[in-house]
Amino acid sequence: MSQWIVGTSLRVRYLIIVLAAVLIVFGVMQISAMPVDVYPEFNPPLVEIQTEALGLSAEEIEALLTVPLEADLLNGVAWLDEIQSESVSSLSSILLVFEPGTDPIRARQMVQERLHETFALPNVSKPPTMLQPLSTTNRVMMVGLSSDEVSLIDMSVLARWNIGPRLLGVPGVANVAIWGQREWQLQVLVEPERLQDAGVTLDQVIAASGEALWVSPLSYLEASAPGTAGWIDTPNQRLTVRHELPIRTAQDMAKIPIQGTAYRLGDVTELVEDHQPLIGDALLGDKPGLILVIEKFPGANALEVTRGVEASLKAMSAGLTGIDIDTNVFNSTNYIEVASSNLTTTLAISAG
């Protein structure tokens, strides 16, 4: 009897040892596959809504957009805990904080249903935009772009239409913000004395330049609501009519006549190809450049996002001749790798 008890006890011990070894191996495998970040997710469910209204002051933004959105549309959303808003020149920002434990997807769905009623707002802005959900430590990388051969405007066009969309396709990337972006513009520079000498008013210049474009942001011009070009019916098919805008350079725009006068735009104004006035700028060393700020989704693995962004930039580098790409402006994975190495060393010393 005693021998049977001893044998059973040994078998139980061996079984426990085997199970412990299996659990250790399984734990190590799970640790290597777990999302890694600087801090855990501790923010409550958040939804941010931004509305852009170019040219409006902060007071106008608050009266025409922020207050109607906050009080009439978004107040009373299910599970809503708190509303915070900010109105600055040309931009309204509203932050909705939901109760802890609220499903973020359902919260965003409830907000989106309210935004369908924004047609009741004054027609002074772009439609309100609900931003992507971001991690607590959302800023995972900052990538610098600089060049001695490519202009900042051309580099901004590449970043806006090529680099940014490619990086947004990396799994885990929620947003790519471009600091120092310079949008290409045809600008009409006006001098009051010159207009007065020619007998031309500023309204005439605005109408001539605005109506010459496909779509004007000025809501009081006809070009703000472009119509269709129509079509031509033949016995066999219908041919659509598409107009091609002949204005491509500042010299082309200078030839536009000013209605009610004998002048053209180039006679009374100066036309240049430039960029919008910058609110801030991006500096790399001692010269201006572009900085791409990569933000990630909640729960995304910071290490995998970083590797994906670096791989995409490397794949695009062949088509970005003359542009220097610096991925070490800021990289949160440097801290994570150092912390992981220190933790591994500590565990090894403790096990020894």
Side-chain angles (χ1 to χ4, degrees):
M1 185 67 178
S2 61
Q3 293 179 354
W4 181 83
I5 294 175
V6 171
T8 303
S9 175
L10 290 175
R11 284 193 293 269
V12 170
R13 292 178 182 178
Y14 293 146
L15 180 60
I16 292 174
I17 293 174
V18 171
L19 289 175
V22 171
L23 289 176
I24 291 174
V25 173
F26 179 76
V28 171
M29 294 175 60
Q30 290 297 313
I31 289 175
S32 61
M34 288 177 61
V36 181
D37 207 342
V38 178
Y39 293 107
E41 301 292 343
F42 55 81
N43 274 343
L46 303 173
V47 176
E48 184 174 0
I49 299 170
Q50 291 187 355
T51 309
E52 183 180 355
L54 187 64
L56 295 186
S57 65
E59 291 78 8
E60 293 170 329
I61 289 288
E62 182 175 10
L64 297 175
L65 295 174
T66 304
V67 172
L69 275 172
E70 184 176 352
D72 299 336
L73 295 183
L74 300 176
N75 191 22
V77 172
W79 311 299
L80 182 63
D81 185 32
E82 183 180 354
I83 298 181
Q84 302 174 8
S85 63
E86 183 178 6
S87 300
V88 298
S89 178
S90 302
L91 184 66
S92 168
S93 177
I94 299 177
L95 183 65
L96 306 177
V97 182
F98 289 85
E99 297 174 355
T102 303
D103 185 356
I105 301 301
R106 298 189 65 183
R108 293 176 66 84
Q109 180 182 357
M110 299 300 296
V111 173
Q112 186 61 55
E113 290 176 355
R114 295 294 185 94
L115 292 181
H116 286 312
E117 303 176 12
T118 54
F119 62 85
L121 294 175
N123 187 22
V124 295
S125 68
K126 295 181 179 179
T129 301
M130 184 164 51
L131 302 186
Q132 292 276 25
L134 299 177
S135 172
T136 302
T137 52
N138 56 77
R139 189 172 298 174
V140 64
M141 283 186 70
M142 297 175 67
V143 179
L145 303 179
S146 60
S147 176
D148 296 328
E149 304 175 12
V150 183
S151 68
L152 288 171
I153 294 180
D154 292 339
M155 196 158 53
S156 297
V157 173
L158 287 173
R160 169 66 179 84
W161 298 107
N162 297 94
I163 303 176
R166 176 68 178 270
L167 296 182
L168 284 172
V170 176
V173 174
N175 183 45
V176 178
I178 305 175
W179 291 1
Q181 181 178 4
R182 291 159 169 81
E183 298 179 357
W184 179 84
Q185 293 180 342
L186 285 176
Q187 297 182 352
V188 182
L189 306 181
V190 177
E191 296 180 7
E193 296 82 2
R194 191 174 174 183
L195 293 182
Q196 186 177 9
D197 294 340
V200 179
T201 65
L202 182 61
D203 288 340
Q204 289 176 306
V205 174
I206 293 175
S209 56
E211 300 290 9
L213 304 176
W214 278 125
V215 181
S216 172
L218 304 177
S219 58
Y220 56 86
L221 297 180
E222 293 183 5
S224 65
T228 60
W231 61 83
I232 300 174
D233 281 331
T234 69
N236 298 322
Q237 59 182 334
R238 171 173 290 180
L239 305 176
T240 58
V241 178
R242 180 176 65 89
H243 296 295
E244 291 187 4
L245 187 65
I247 301 172
R248 300 183 181 275
T249 64
Q251 291 75 18
D252 296 334
M253 199 166 189
K255 301 175 184 178
I256 297 173
I258 301 176
Q259 188 175 7
T261 71
Y263 296 101
R264 299 176 183 270
L265 281 177
D267 298 331
V268 295
T269 65
E270 182 181 356
L271 292 103
V272 297
E273 299 179 27
D274 207 341
H275 59 82
Q276 84 283 8
L278 297 178
I279 298 176
D281 206 348
L283 293 177
L284 296 171
D286 57 350
K287 60 181 181 180
L290 299 181
I291 295 180
L292 308 181
V293 181
I294 292 105
E295 299 173 311
K296 69 183 186 68
F297 285 111
N301 192 324
L303 294 176
E304 293 182 358
V305 171
T306 301
R307 296 189 188 105
V309 170
E310 291 175 345
S312 296
L313 291 173
K314 184 177 180 180
M316 287 187 291
S317 61
L320 301 176
T321 306
I323 299 179
D324 297 326
I325 303 175
D326 183 7
T327 58
N328 292 317
V329 175
F330 170 76
N331 196 331
S332 63
T333 58
N334 293 336
Y335 168 80
I336 295 174
E337 290 173 350
V338 171
S340 299
S341 177
N342 293 339
L343 178 60
T344 302
T345 303
T346 303
L347 291 176
I349 294 175
S350 300

